[in-house]
Amino acid sequence: MAELYHPVKIGNLEIPGNIFLAPIAGYSDRAFRYVCTLNGADMCYTEMVSSEALYRGSGKTENLLARADNEKFFAVQLFGGDEKAIYESTKIVIEKYNPSLIDINCGCPVPKIIKSGAGSFLTKNPDKLKSIAQAAIKASNDFSPDKENPVPITVKIRSGWDSSSLTWKDASAAALEAGCKAITIHPRTKKQGYEGKADWNILAQLVQYAAKIAPEVPIFGSGDVFSPEDARRMLEETGCRGVMFARGAMGNPFQFAQTKQLLKTGSYQEIPISKKIETGLQELDILVQDKGEDIACREMRKRFCCYTKGISNGAQIRTSIVSACTVQDYKKIANLILNL
């Protein structure tokens, strides 16, 4: 089992392990990435950042690129459908934020993203995907401080537009021809959104396909990974080189350390409720630093609810959480939970 947990090489970047936090829109900010890294994530991705907004100088967009203090590896995800914006935003990220890699989102199913020529539009249009990836790669080659080791450019795709238009192979071929150093696939279609079941058979097929034409390029899997056992099964059944937790990590950043324990030893320890609540308060503390107490406490409501899953009187506790307005409110709720 130990061989399932291993280092991963992405271009000239070597990550010591293969259990990652996926980019999660509206969720994988600096605070959440901090607690995920603290609890064993080998690398965390930012939520997707608009290349157009970054290129146009949006301060709000740049806030998404704040790096957690404990992040040794920093993976930035950009989205966009315009080559110039992708080129310029890649330049900005490299020059200002020292990323470990830059990932291009080619899978988001949200209509407003697709209308901009980004997200799943690119999985459906491999030629456009290739030109977008080439723009990012050119910027990396032009502006990386180490010309011998430019910042790796990677992509994340979906299986296709719908069940009658599965374009993952053409999209992957385009990414590899452009020179991308890794591919992640969420094997749902755009039409599925986040419903239905991820088809891990497609992930396995992509692993086999890439091994024939670009064996040095790792393939990562995402989709329906909600437990350490899911992560192990994905690695075993598909042969992918790494696994990304997304929704499965919400309120449960402990999955990373638990998964590594499972892969190394065959079992893992359960997390005491005291550690779950302590971690939730740590996340809140960083949110307050970044956004102020009022906004942070409102944003933390849904997150803190996730931390309380499985506890006794959980429904009653969550009723209190959804009206929490101050840090003190959260501390009172935490004390209540710990004294149950």
Side-chain angles (χ1 to χ4, degrees), residues 17-293:
N18 60 339
I19 308 300
F20 309 133
L21 172 68
I24 310 171
Y27 213 102
S28 55
D29 53 20
R30 183 175 83 102
F32 188 57
R33 297 198 313 275
Y34 178 88
V35 296
C36 288
T37 301
L38 187 66
N39 288 282
D42 293 306
M43 183 168 66
C44 299
Y45 288 70
T46 68
E47 54 188 298
M48 62 181 188
V49 175
S50 167
S51 59
E52 193 74 36
L54 187 59
Y55 168 44
R56 302 294 179 190
S58 167
K60 184 178 180 181
T61 297
E62 293 213 24
N63 291 340
L64 301 177
L65 292 164
R67 186 171 186 161
D69 295 342
N70 61 349
E71 283 186 287
K72 180 179 179 181
F73 301 100
F74 186 48
V76 173
Q77 190 184 69
L78 297 175
F79 75 90
D82 177 79
E83 288 84 352
K84 180 175 176 57
I86 287 286
Y87 179 89
E88 295 293 342
S89 60
T90 299
K91 173 180 182 278
I92 291 168
V93 171
I94 288 172
E95 292 185 335
K96 294 184 67 174
Y97 298 100
N98 189 30
S100 302
L101 65 81
I102 295 175
D103 186 68
I104 307 299
N105 183 306
C106 304
C108 179
V110 175
K112 69 177 182 179
I113 302 298
I114 293 169
K115 286 179 182 177
S116 71
S120 290
F121 176 88
L122 296 173
T123 297
K124 185 182 180 183
N125 294 271
D127 290 342
K128 185 68 171 178
L129 186 157
K130 182 177 178 180
S131 67
I132 290 289
Q134 286 174 326
I137 291 167
K138 184 176 189 311
S140 180
N141 290 334
D142 290 346
F143 300 107
S144 291
D146 184 351
K147 299 300 181 184
E148 297 299 315
N149 297 295
V151 174
I153 304 299
T154 66
V155 298
K156 187 176 183 184
I157 65 172
R158 283 211 166 211
S159 55
W161 193 256
D162 54 34
S163 59
S164 64
S165 179
L166 298 177
T167 53
W168 61 267
K169 184 178 288 188
D170 289 339
S172 299
L176 295 173
E177 289 169 13
C180 292
K181 301 302 183 184
I183 298 173
T184 302
I185 186 168
H186 181 150
R188 282 183 170 90
T189 63
K190 174 266 174 191
K191 185 175 181 180
Q192 280 181 283
Y194 298 98
E195 302 298 323
K197 191 169 183 177
D199 187 350
W200 289 5
N201 288 325
I202 288 177
L203 169 58
Q205 291 173 49
L206 173 54
V207 169
Q208 295 168 9
Y209 171 72
K212 294 177 182 176
I213 60 175
E216 75 285 0
V217 175
I219 305 300
F220 304 137
S222 180
D224 290 351
V225 183
F226 295 104
S227 69
E229 290 84 359
D230 288 339
R232 180 174 66 179
R233 188 165 60 85
M234 176 178 275
L235 290 165
E236 288 176 335
E237 292 181 5
T238 71
C240 67
R241 296 288 292 165
V243 169
M244 289 193 189
F245 279 91
R247 289 175 290 170
M250 292 179 178
N252 196 3
F254 320 104
Q255 299 254 34
F256 301 102
Q258 289 177 319
T259 297
K260 289 195 276 191
Q261 287 177 0
L262 180 66
L263 298 181
K264 290 176 179 180
T265 70
S267 64
Y268 60 90
Q269 297 178 325
E270 294 299 330
I271 305 300
I273 187 61
S274 57
K275 182 171 182 179
K276 292 181 180 181
I277 299 308
E278 175 190 350
T279 302
L281 291 176
Q282 284 179 301
E283 188 176 343
L284 173 61
D285 181 62
I286 298 172
L287 272 180
V288 170
Q289 294 173 35
D290 290 348
K291 300 184 178 183
E293 186 171 15

Side-chain angles (χ1 to χ4, degrees), residues 296-309:
C297 287
R298 281 189 276 120
E299 288 193 7
M300 194 66 200
R301 291 170 184 168
K302 62 180 179 180
R303 303 189 189 196
F304 213 78
C305 284
C306 291
Y307 280 105
T308 66
K309 285 181 179 176

